[in-house]
Amino acid sequence: MPNIIDGKAHSARIRESLKEEIALFKEQTSVTPGLAVILAGDDPASYVYVRNKIKACEELGIKSFAYYLPASVSEGELLGLIDRLNSDVNVHGILVQLPLPEGLDEESIISRIDYKKDVDGIHAVNAGKLLRGADALLPCTPAGCIELIKSVTEISGKRAVVVGRSNLVGKPLAIMLLAQNATVTICHSRTRDLKEICRSAEILCVAVGRPNFITADTVKEGAVVIDVGINRVDGRLCGDVKFDEVSLKASHITPVPGGVGPMTITMLLSNTLKAARLQCGR
Ligand code: NDP
């Protein structure tokens, strides 16, 4: 039987030590790390994500500032809010919940965030720093994946395949694996022989957004499989990997839910403390 990589348990352990670090930081600086979360529109899934982020902040001693804006909010209003938060000394991290309602330009909104407060790690400056191997605020989901992989295997020297090349997950995850000295291949919708490439992977990370996309015949015996996908099928959550059959072949695998998801919020909390430290020079 494969080992299930328990994202919830990992997450709980990391949050416990983060809580202590935050308490110590507050004691030393008299500063409370602050995270502003902006939600535009009324997408129910986004609302749940935002609520969970705020709850997690409270549990760890991070002050949260939530901004719920109507879907009709203008780009100018949103940029104005970001400008105010950029200059607010009580706010160390700014997160704009994606996807944005139609008509709002994601790129110009994200790039307006001060990169030092970009706790989602998706500002072009942070993406560039990641590419160059400089210290940066790293995107939360890929950073969470790396933690989970490291918990079960040595990454250095391994053949890793990432399926998906989004700026949010696939691309940064591939760069982070490369930084850990894996030999990395990225697959996408135009990849030929995708199954064969995936079958060569000792570490297979899947961020596609299609239920049951990865089947057992796509996976190498003994591979570590990280399923980033979140799909809703008949009212139930599932990943991109056909868990029942792939789990018989993988050495370790993340479940959905309970795998990568909890780690994403944990990395956001960690980034908020990191951003507060940077801004306070500690
Ligand atoms: P995107 O839709 O931005 O990217 C999907 C990627 O999958 C694209 O690069 C696309 O290729 C590729 N793809 C689509 N169809 C195929 C195919 N048939 N064969 C090969 N590649 C394909 O999604 P995200 O990266 O934002 O998210 C991916 C999944 O991860 C989603 O289910 C999302 O909900 C989930 N997610 C989970 C998070 C978590 O915390 N667990 C956080 C963020 C996302 P191409 O570029 O060629 O179009």
Side-chain angles (χ1 to χ4, degrees):
M1 268 305 276
N3 285 315
I4 307 297
I5 308 176
D6 186 343
K8 264 192 189 165
H10 277 283
S11 196
R13 274 196 293 277
I14 298 172
R15 286 189 202 190
E16 207 46 56
S17 76
L18 266 178
K19 195 174 176 174
E20 285 170 22
E21 281 182 57
I22 289 168
L24 190 64
F25 174 79
K26 282 183 179 174
E27 210 177 285
Q28 290 171 340
T29 61
S30 306
V31 171
T32 301
L35 173 68
V37 184
I38 302 172
L39 173 61
D42 47 16
D43 176 59
S46 293
Y47 183 79
V48 172
Y49 292 142
V50 165
R51 208 184 49 200
N52 288 343
K53 287 168 187 173
I54 288 167
K55 189 165 158 264
C57 281
E58 280 165 9
E59 284 167 4
L60 263 69
I62 292 173
K63 183 154 179 49
S64 61
F65 306 85
Y67 296 88
Y68 297 101
L69 309 174
S72 59
V73 66
S74 71
E75 197 162 306
E77 285 171 294
L78 192 43
L79 293 175
L81 173 59
I82 291 172
D83 288 343
R84 287 199 298 283
L85 296 172
N86 278 341
S87 50
D88 186 337
V89 292
N90 297 310
V91 172
H92 305 97
I94 303 171
L95 181 147
V96 177
Q97 184 66 42
L98 301 176
L100 286 165
E102 244 169 74
L104 295 173
D105 180 41
E106 197 174 296
E107 192 57 39
S108 65
I109 286 160
I110 297 301
S111 62
R112 190 70 156 243
I113 297 172
D114 178 345
Y115 76 90
K116 295 188 272 332
K117 297 192 176 188
D118 166 41
V119 282
D120 239 354
I122 53 177
H123 190 287
V125 170
N126 283 317
K129 282 172 175 258
L130 168 62
L131 199 63
R132 297 285 290 262
D135 188 32
L137 290 166
L138 298 175
C140 302
T141 301
C145 293
I146 296 289
E147 289 292 324
L148 292 180
I149 299 167
K150 275 184 172 172
S151 74
V152 296
T153 192
E154 164 75 41
I155 297 177
S156 182
K158 294 267 163 64
R159 279 191 300 276
V161 171
V162 178
V163 190
R165 57 172 167 180
S166 69
N167 288 327
L168 196 63
V169 188
K171 270 189 233 169
L173 179 52
I175 302 299
M176 286 182 207
L177 285 162
L178 184 64
Q180 298 287 326
N181 300 313
T183 301
V184 186
T185 304
I186 307 176
C187 296
H188 47 78
S189 65
R190 313 286 172 88
T191 298
R192 275 186 281 128
D193 306 324
L194 184 136
K195 278 194 181 206
E196 205 178 303
I197 296 169
C198 290
R199 269 200 300 269
S200 73
E202 295 167 285
I203 299 169
L204 177 63
C205 303
V206 191
V208 170
R210 287 172 185 249
N212 299 328
F213 183 75
I214 296 291
T215 45
D217 61 345
T218 319
V219 177
K220 185 185 181 71
E221 190 82 45
V224 173
V225 179
I226 304 293
D227 188 355
V228 181
I230 301 179
N231 308 291
R232 199 169 280 277
V233 177
D234 300 330
R236 291 184 61 193
L237 285 186
C238 68
D240 291 343
V241 176
K242 206 165 185 182
F243 185 87
D244 292 349
E245 56 180 61
V246 172
S247 60
L248 300 175
K249 237 177 152 182
S251 68
H252 298 85
I253 184 168
T254 56
V256 177
V260 175
M263 290 297 284
T264 296
I265 298 189
T266 301
M267 294 299 118
L268 171 71
L269 302 166
S270 168
N271 271 352
T272 304
L273 175 61
K274 181 172 181 172
R277 282 193 198 286
L278 287 171
Q279 286 157 57
C280 297
R282 305 294 285 248

